[in-house]
Amino acid sequence: MLHGPLSGGLFRFAIPVAFIGILQQMFNTTDIFVLGRFVGTEALAAMGNNAPVIGLLVNLFLGLSLGSNVLIARFMGGRGDKESMDAIHTSFLLGILTGLFILVLGEVMAVPMLQWLGVPPEIMDAAELYLRVFLLGMPGMTLYDFVSSIYRAHGNVRTPLLALLVASLFNVAADFAAVWLGTGLAGVVATTALANYVSSGLLIYMLRHGHGVLHLIPGAIRLHRPYVREILRIGLPAGVQGMVFNLANLVIQSAINSEGALAMAASAAAFVLECNTYPFLVGFGQAITTFTSQNYGAGNLARCRAVARRGTLLSFIFISILTGIVCVFAGPLLSLFGLTGEGLAIGKTRVWLVVGFYFVCSIYESLSAALRGYGYSLPPALTMLVSICGVRLVWLATAYKAHPTFTYIMYCYPVSWSITAVLLVFLYRHYRDKIGREAEGADGK
């Protein structure tokens, strides 16, 4: 991360991280495939309605784990082994506590959230069952993400990938076993919850038997308050940003629900393609954040700026090619989930208007990732909250209200992303120059 060519290093970091995201989504993808093919449309619609709710809860700890990633990478870049070890053990305990908090909060708020979504009465029981069982696996999911962030900070993305690969294979086999045993929706989602503990358990085992700073010592596990504050300062804005995004998406899902069960099922299937494409954006973002944080800790601002330039370009090119392929083959891919006729047409509309514009997301995701690497997490979070969530809510209240069709619901995505990309370019330049001036002032003193 600190020396050598950037393009190869960023790419080798980003792609495994993307596959980690895809394997995590494979849990849900497998569920959707099995439910759509072997259980029924009602079960598929029930799961589709839960996607925004689960995203609302999950994004909180994803943001916090990103704070851990930035802090640990900064210490490692500055060669602070003791600080790195303390931050690692703090992150581990914080992962446990976060997972338990989300589990309890989710179980308490399950019914109110589904009611607020306007889930139709005929699938309410199935949607509630799916959400409650899924939440039982939340501590395992949070632990995996926090421990994975520890490995990423060190530049090791292979170990988290291998652990998740084993858990994914377990989940696929267990899903089909659940169908064969006739356990239906409950059995399918229970295997997914259990798979979360498989992935985190493997990763914890490897960390426990690791060497150097990548070694978990049970007696050293405690919360170091300065590090908790720093993790929260960096990670909480990102987590809240993700939660508010999903609140906006809950409003969008409510509008989709008003279009009927067919639109709900088609949207759920299209969402799978989105969830298995977006991780590449996240992968490049994680690479940019980690590389920037390590080099910032080492005091190499020139390389930090080079990371942002090269990472944004790589992400834009790669995402443009990938999303083009997904859009071309949207029909055959969506038909795998049992969509035909009008349902297939609705699904393709969502893919073209959402996945088809991910190249715009690559710009603001990369630049906000660079700012988080410097430790500036709140400014891009606030900017994206206003520009993305605000625009979507206004769009639904105006344009969609005037043209109440599924297509007009989907237009809110590319419109909000385009505005955000422009704003983030100016925001990044402002803070990049500010950091440079501060560094020059420090050198002068």
Side-chain angles (χ1 to χ4, degrees), residues 43 81 122 141 152 155 163 172 222 253-254 261 271 317 363 376 442:
D81 288 350
E122 61 269 21
M141 186 183 294
R152 287 198 307 272
V172 171
R222 69 182 186 91
Q253 183 63 47
S254 182
F271 187 72
I317 294 173
I363 298 172
Y376 288 97

Side-chain angles (χ1 to χ4, degrees), residues 28-383:
N28 290 336
T29 302
T30 304
D31 287 356
I32 288 178
F33 178 81
V34 171
L35 292 174
R37 284 284 183 176
F38 303 107
V39 180
T41 303
E42 179 181 306
L44 181 59
M47 182 180 177
N49 272 278
N50 272 300
V53 178
I54 293 170
L56 179 69
L57 300 172
V58 166
N59 272 283
L60 174 61
F61 70 76
L62 285 178
L64 292 177
S65 68
L66 182 61
S68 296
N69 179 219
V70 171
L71 179 64
I72 297 169
R74 187 186 304 164
F75 286 144
M76 289 182 177
R79 308 301 182 187
D81 288 350
K82 182 183 183 304
E83 293 85 353
S84 298
M85 289 287 288
D86 289 343
I88 286 171
H89 288 88
T90 296
S91 298
F92 182 84
L93 183 53
L94 196 59
I96 296 174
L97 297 176
T98 303
L100 293 174
F101 171 76
I102 295 176
L103 168 59
V104 174
L105 177 65
E107 293 289 353
V108 171
M109 296 297 296
V111 174
M113 285 190 293
L114 292 173
Q115 289 175 338
W116 185 75
L117 262 179
V119 175
E122 61 269 21
I123 65 169
M124 176 59 81
D125 289 342
E128 181 184 350
L129 173 65
Y130 183 92
L131 181 57
R132 290 195 181 281
V133 177
F134 183 90
L135 287 168
L136 295 177
M138 197 60 68
M141 186 183 294
T142 60
L143 261 178
Y144 173 83
D145 278 295
F146 272 84
V147 179
S148 180
S149 73
I150 293 170
Y151 277 99
R152 287 198 307 272
H154 190 262
N156 182 345
V157 290
R158 183 180 63 179
T159 299
L161 179 61
L162 291 175
L164 197 59
L165 177 60
V166 173
S168 297
L169 294 175
F170 167 84
N171 185 56
V172 171
D175 268 0
F176 283 102
V179 171
W180 181 72
L181 292 172
T183 56
L185 176 65
V188 171
V189 66
T191 62
T192 300
L194 184 58
N196 288 324
Y197 290 100
V198 173
S199 62
S200 59
L202 289 171
L203 211 52
I204 292 168
Y205 175 83
M206 286 183 277
L207 186 63
R208 179 70 183 89
H209 294 83
H211 302 284
V213 294
L214 291 181
H215 177 59
L216 183 68
I217 304 171
I221 297 174
R222 69 182 186 91
L223 296 178
H224 295 264
R225 291 184 180 180
Y227 299 157
V228 172
R229 286 195 294 268
E230 186 66 4
I231 289 171
L232 293 177
R233 187 187 70 81
I234 298 171
L236 196 56
V240 172
Q241 169 191 312
M243 291 180 71
V244 177
F245 281 175
N246 277 275
L247 282 174
N249 288 338
L250 287 175
V251 178
I252 294 173
Q253 183 63 47
S254 182
I256 293 172
N257 290 347
S258 69
E259 298 293 323
L262 186 61
M264 291 159 56
S267 185
F271 187 72
V272 174
L273 300 187
E274 298 169 26
C275 290
N276 285 282
T277 308
Y278 202 84
F280 288 96
L281 282 166
V282 175
F284 281 102
Q286 289 277 0
I288 292 169
T289 294
T290 308
F291 274 59
T292 301
S293 186
Q294 277 223 8
N295 283 280
Y296 189 51
N300 191 343
L301 291 183
R303 190 169 174 86
C304 289
R305 291 190 288 269
V307 166
R309 291 194 303 270
R310 193 67 55 83
T312 303
L313 180 61
L314 285 174
S315 179
F316 183 87
I317 294 173
F318 186 89
I319 293 300
S320 296
I321 296 172
L322 176 64
T323 54
I325 294 172
V326 173
C327 287
V328 169
F329 293 99
L333 291 171
L334 290 171
S335 65
L336 294 174
F337 300 98
L339 294 179
T340 58
E342 184 182 355
L344 183 61
I346 293 172
K348 288 167 68 176
T349 296
R350 173 158 185 154
V351 171
W352 292 337
L353 290 177
V354 178
V355 177
F357 282 85
Y358 274 176
F359 68 92
V360 179
C361 300
S362 68
I363 298 172
Y364 73 74
E365 286 284 0
S366 298
L367 297 180
S368 63
L371 288 174
R372 283 193 292 268
Y374 286 119
Y376 288 97
S377 184
L378 186 59
L382 291 176
T383 302

